[in-house]
Amino acid sequence: MHVLYEDDGGFKAATLLSETDASLQVEATSGKRSKIKKTAVILRFDKPSPDALVKEAEAASGDLDLEFLWECAPKEDFDVPALAEEYFGHKPGPVEQAALLFRLHGAPVYFHRRGKGKFRPAPPDILAAALAAVEKKKRQAEQQQAWADEMKAGTLPEAMTRMADILLFKPDKNTQEWKAFDMACTQIQIRPDRLLLNLGAFPSALSIHKRRFHGEHFPKGTAFAPVTVPPVAAELPLATVDAYSIDDVTTTEIDDALSVETLADGNVRVGIHIAAPALSVTRDSPLDLLARGRMSTVYMPGEKIPMQPDEVIAAFSLDAGKPVPALSLYVTADPATGDILASETRIERVVVKENLRHNLLDESVSEAALDDPASDLPYAALFRPLWNLAQKLSAKRDAVRGRPELNNRVDFSFYVDGDPDLPDEATVRIVQRKRNAPLDRMVAEYMILANNLWGGLLASCGVPGIYRSQQMGRVRMSTVAAPHDSIGVPQYAWCTSPLRRYVDLVNQGQLLAAVEHGVSARLVAPFKPREADLFAIISNFDAKYSAYSDFQQQMERFWCLRWLKQEGVTRAEAVVLREDAVRLKDVPLFTRVGGLPALQRGQTVLLDIMGSDELDLELDCRFVEVVQTDALEAPEDEPLPVDTDVELATGDVSPEAVAETAEVEAADGPDANDLPLDVVNDDAAAAPGDGGTARRAKARSRNDRP
């Protein structure tokens, strides 16, 4: 005796071994024995064998006419044997009953199940709707396959051309377009972004990188709606100083300037003037919420996404020739020792006499010219006293740090000539620039001084601020002052870049209260001690700043790859960092080299450039030979010692914080402890139309990612 029974939504046949009141013991043809419920049995039969029954019934079921079955079936619930007898015109055998059962079971549109071996024909209206749905689904499947075939043939269907961003970044997996796209990716065995790039949905890999970033961090777009900047409430006094800003040629957000005066007693009085948008951008105001939403200006070669609207930048940027509100720190110091004799902070208006540019001054403002009183030095009355004092201030910090700071690396400035959104039509220039340029060191030293002294002012007034500290090798942000060992200062608060970084804007609002109210400032400052919102700002800023940094690294890596292609570079020298990780000497591109022999850090090798992948941002290269075998002395731009404790020295940094560590990790991440952790400090990048973006070092930083 054999049985046909229902199991997990399907049907099986087996030989009956034993039976009880509630269950059966059966054996499949394979020899597997099972215990089934008696209620699961639909048919008992002697012949044919279980396997033969199933095979013959499945073959016969395909010949049964569903529409005819539906028409002749009873309108109420019915058993399969009853319908089988009526359909076949005789008492049905096991195969015929099983065939009809399989046919009814496989046609839920025509017949609804009503229990074990029981069915009911679908009502006419429901059947018509179901058949229409089946036909629609069939047409959709055909359309999806047609679209998939088009994509496989190298053509993006017109219906999907306008949906490229949605398909890649915010797919609705219930749509026909997505199903067709996913089908094509599966059949071709290719990633979605690469398929869309190959089909021309995006003009370049750069477009995909940018749109992915914009979709995540700027889903409503990067442009600001027109805003009105509230006027500064108080009439501010006009400073009687000759102030100068020192920036890259592409800088458009100028938020710091310097002035200097030699006093009758031989001491010098240095003014550090910082743009003061916090006078109008007050806590929880519409402008403050805009800045808080972005947290920082985003920099990339060829363009930037500003933190502040253009109206705020125009009102507070320290552009030459106009009185601008500023927060000024005046420091009286002994130039012979670097001792700070007095300091004073003022809220005032400053007229910058001239916006000086690095590209015009770097060559002429050298250490030799600064140290030689007889040399023809431009702006000598400004630069010589600033340089002399900066050297003393740096030496005092070095004494606290326990060793001098290393400044012998090369920085790279990126300039994109043309539309940065059309890399095939644009030209990228990557210009090397020594990090220890005197102008950089001067500006860095005075920004460190301002961030140190202003951090101390907040602490002395009991006003909370956002500080960065480093103790026992650990860098952290907090709301209370603490030493920063690697800089060599008792406290350090970012205060000198309020147009481009939100924590500086917050600190400036706190400073304004401290300057106006002194020790009672804690009662009227925008943020009170232990206020939870201040910790929320730190957390949000850290996340945003890190994401912006990663994005700029990706963009710089893209333009490095594009530069290699643009210049037709097929062979290049690289400096070994560790194991198989190297950095190209002509561009700041880090990569791994398969088959690289065991070499010491600092050795130079020659590589064959085989190709690149701008979507994955990978370089395909091959080791050729060792060019420099002596690794005891590193190349001039690649110091061997790992200096792990110099902070972002100035407030004038864009949020990239591009560390060699991060770049090498992007190349597949070796141990950061053995790598140079120099973080490059960037100044403002050019807005579209400004001709390019420059990265420049106003300060030095290692192992202190924001």
Side-chain angles (χ1 to χ4, degrees):
M1 175 69 68
H2 311 298
V3 293
L4 179 70
Y5 62 95
E6 187 174 355
D7 181 65
D8 195 22
F11 300 101
K12 294 181 180 179
T15 301
L16 177 62
L17 298 179
S18 63
E19 181 176 358
T20 65
D21 291 340
S23 63
L24 304 175
Q25 182 84 10
V26 298
E27 182 180 63
T29 305
S30 64
K32 179 181 178 181
R33 296 188 176 188
S34 304
K35 184 178 181 180
I36 62 173
K37 292 183 178 180
K38 202 168 188 177
T39 55
V41 176
I42 298 175
L43 177 65
R44 294 171 182 256
F45 60 96
D46 294 326
K47 296 180 180 180
S49 66
D51 280 356
L53 174 82
V54 173
K55 290 179 181 178
E56 293 176 18
E58 287 178 345
S61 67
D63 297 330
L64 301 181
D65 188 337
L66 271 177
E67 292 187 4
F68 179 70
L69 282 171
W70 180 81
E71 291 176 359
C72 68
K75 302 308 178 185
E76 302 299 330
D77 296 358
F78 63 87
D79 291 323
V80 170
L83 181 61
E85 184 172 350
E86 183 176 348
Y87 180 83
F88 291 109
H90 59 267
K91 186 176 180 62
V95 173
E96 291 172 326
Q97 289 190 52
L100 185 60
L101 175 65
F102 292 170
R103 187 59 167 160
L104 298 180
H105 180 78
V109 170
Y110 286 88
F111 296 95
H112 300 165
R113 293 195 60 191
R114 305 294 291 175
K116 184 188 68 173
K118 292 182 178 293
F119 295 89
R120 173 185 288 181
D125 56 338
I126 295 178
L127 176 61
L131 289 174
V134 169
E135 181 62 25
K136 179 181 179 181
K137 188 174 182 179
K138 179 182 177 182
R139 291 196 303 269
Q140 289 177 343
E142 291 173 349
Q143 179 64 77
Q144 292 167 18
Q145 187 60 59
W147 282 340
D149 291 341
E150 283 189 63
M151 286 183 276
K152 289 161 62 178
T155 302
L156 186 66
E158 183 178 352
M160 303 172 68
T161 302
R162 298 179 297 274
M163 299 182 60
D165 284 63
I166 295 175
L167 290 173
L168 188 55
F169 306 124
K170 293 184 178 179
D172 181 354
K173 297 187 178 182
N174 293 318
T175 62
Q176 289 191 77
E177 291 81 3
W178 164 258
K179 291 176 181 178
F181 180 62
D182 184 56
M183 184 186 303
C185 291
T186 301
Q187 294 176 359
I188 304 174
Q189 292 295 297
I190 193 173
R191 287 189 348 230
D193 54 354
R194 193 170 296 281
L195 176 58
L196 287 173
L197 181 62
N198 293 345
L199 295 176
F202 296 95
S204 67
L206 180 65
S207 178
I208 293 179
H209 295 310
K210 286 185 177 181
R211 293 188 194 187
R212 180 179 287 116
F213 175 77
H214 289 172
E216 182 177 354
H217 297 282
F218 299 91
K220 297 181 179 179
T222 59
F224 288 104
V227 300
T228 300
V229 181
V232 177
E235 182 65 27
L236 302 178
L238 184 64
T240 57
V241 296
D242 291 334
Y244 296 83
S245 67
I246 307 171
D247 296 278
D248 191 85
V249 66
T250 58
T251 299
T252 57
E253 299 160 302
I254 301 175
D255 44 19
D256 63 83
L258 298 172
S259 64
V260 64
E261 178 185 1
T262 301
L263 305 178
D265 57 4
N267 293 326
V268 294
R269 185 169 176 263
V270 176
I272 304 167
H273 312 282
I274 305 300
L279 291 169
S280 294
V281 185
T282 55
R283 181 182 179 183
D284 294 334
S285 67
L287 292 178
D288 178 69
L289 296 178
L290 288 177
R292 183 168 179 172
R294 300 196 174 191
M295 283 291 172
S296 172
T297 294
V298 184
Y299 295 89
M300 68 201 86
E303 56 187 317
K304 67 179 178 182
I305 304 173
M307 181 185 76
Q308 303 272 21
D310 290 343
E311 293 87 343
V312 174
I313 295 171
F316 292 98
S317 178
L318 299 179
D319 298 329
K322 65 176 185 179
V324 182
L327 186 64
S328 298
L329 174 65
Y330 290 96
V331 175
T332 302
D334 184 345
T337 63
D339 293 335
I340 303 301
L341 306 177
S343 65
E344 177 187 10
T345 300
R346 299 179 186 175
I347 307 170
E348 59 188 6
R349 290 178 299 148
V350 173
V351 178
V352 173
K353 191 169 184 178
E354 191 173 350
N355 297 131
L356 305 180
R357 302 296 182 177
H358 282 280
N359 61 313
L360 301 177
L361 293 174
D362 274 349
E363 290 188 7
S364 56
V365 183
S366 63
E367 290 192 42
L370 287 165
D371 294 335
D372 182 5
S375 67
D376 185 14
L377 178 71
Y379 304 95
L382 172 73
F383 291 141
R384 280 206 175 95
L386 286 178
W387 171 249
N388 292 335
L389 179 58
Q391 288 182 298
K392 299 299 188 300
L393 294 174
S394 179
K396 293 176 77 69
R397 289 194 304 106
D398 288 344
V400 175
R401 296 173 64 239
R403 61 178 178 274
E405 181 182 346
L406 294 174
N407 296 310
N408 59 342
R409 263 194 57 200
V410 168
D411 285 326
F412 295 85
S413 297
F414 286 75
Y415 299 89
V416 178
D417 301 322
D419 189 344
D421 288 328
L422 300 174
D424 291 335
E425 301 176 9
T427 301
V428 60
R429 292 179 290 120
I430 304 178
V431 181
Q432 295 190 20
R433 185 167 176 272
K434 290 293 291 185
R435 174 175 286 190
N436 62 345
L439 288 179
D440 285 341
R441 293 163 63 183
M442 274 189 278
V443 174
E445 203 58 54
Y446 292 112
M447 296 306 111
I448 291 174
L449 181 62
N451 289 328
N452 172 26
L453 294 183
W454 275 339
L457 175 60
L458 291 176
S460 66
C461 294
V463 177
I466 299 177
Y467 294 87
R468 290 179 65 82
S469 62
Q470 185 188 56
Q471 295 174 287
M472 303 297 292
R474 182 187 177 193
V475 179
R476 61 190 298 266
M477 297 181 72
S478 66
T479 60
V480 295
H484 200 304
D485 296 340
S486 64
I487 297 181
V489 293
Q491 64 275 317
Y492 190 81
W494 272 344
C495 303
T496 54
S497 191
L499 289 174
R500 291 174 283 168
R501 198 167 49 197
Y502 188 69
V503 293
D504 300 61
L505 183 65
V506 169
N507 281 339
Q508 188 174 86
Q510 302 294 90
L511 279 169
L512 293 175
V515 173
E516 293 184 16
H517 300 280
V519 293
S520 62
R522 60 185 301 169
L523 303 176
V524 296
F527 293 90
K528 308 303 186 290
R530 301 182 182 278
E531 189 166 345
D533 200 27
L534 205 55
F535 295 98
I537 289 173
I538 292 175
S539 177
N540 191 20
F541 173 81
D542 190 53
K544 289 274 190 181
Y545 209 66
S546 179
Y548 295 170
S549 168
D550 292 342
F551 176 64
Q552 177 155 353
Q553 291 176 36
Q554 292 177 8
M555 293 299 93
E556 293 186 354
R557 190 170 181 84
F558 171 88
W559 285 108
C560 285
L561 295 176
R562 181 51 62 108
W563 181 88
L564 292 173
K565 183 183 298 184
Q566 168 188 294
E567 301 299 319
V569 178
T570 59
R571 182 162 285 191
E573 291 187 355
V575 176
V576 176
L577 302 180
R578 66 182 298 272
E579 297 178 355
D580 60 349
V582 303
R583 178 183 66 78
L584 300 191
K585 296 190 76 172
D586 293 331
V587 291
L589 182 62
F590 299 77
T591 188
R592 291 192 175 278
V593 182
L596 188 71
L599 299 171
Q600 296 185 35
R601 172 178 164 78
Q603 290 186 254
T604 302
V605 296
L606 190 64
L607 305 177
D608 272 341
I609 307 300
M610 317 296 292
S612 62
D613 186 331
E614 294 179 352
L615 187 58
D616 290 334
L617 299 176
E618 293 180 351
L619 181 67
D620 183 14
C621 56
R622 181 178 66 87
F623 168 73
V624 177
E625 62 182 6
V626 177
V627 176
Q628 175 186 321
T629 58
D630 182 8
L632 296 178
E633 294 185 4
E636 184 180 11
D637 65 331
E638 206 69 48
L640 274 173
V642 179
D643 189 351
T644 60
D645 50 355
V646 179
E647 146 72 314
L648 287 168
T650 82
D652 293 331
V653 287
S654 60
E656 80 300 327
V658 184
E660 283 189 4
T661 303
E663 289 283 8
V664 174
E665 287 173 351
D668 203 10
D671 185 357
N673 293 329
D674 295 331
L675 295 175
L677 303 175
D678 300 314
V679 178
V680 178
N681 181 27
D682 290 315
D683 199 15
D690 282 355
T693 298
R695 298 173 55 230
R696 69 178 180 82
K698 293 179 81 174
R700 276 67 62 188
S701 172
R702 297 177 179 85
N703 201 25
D704 194 6
R705 294 294 305 277

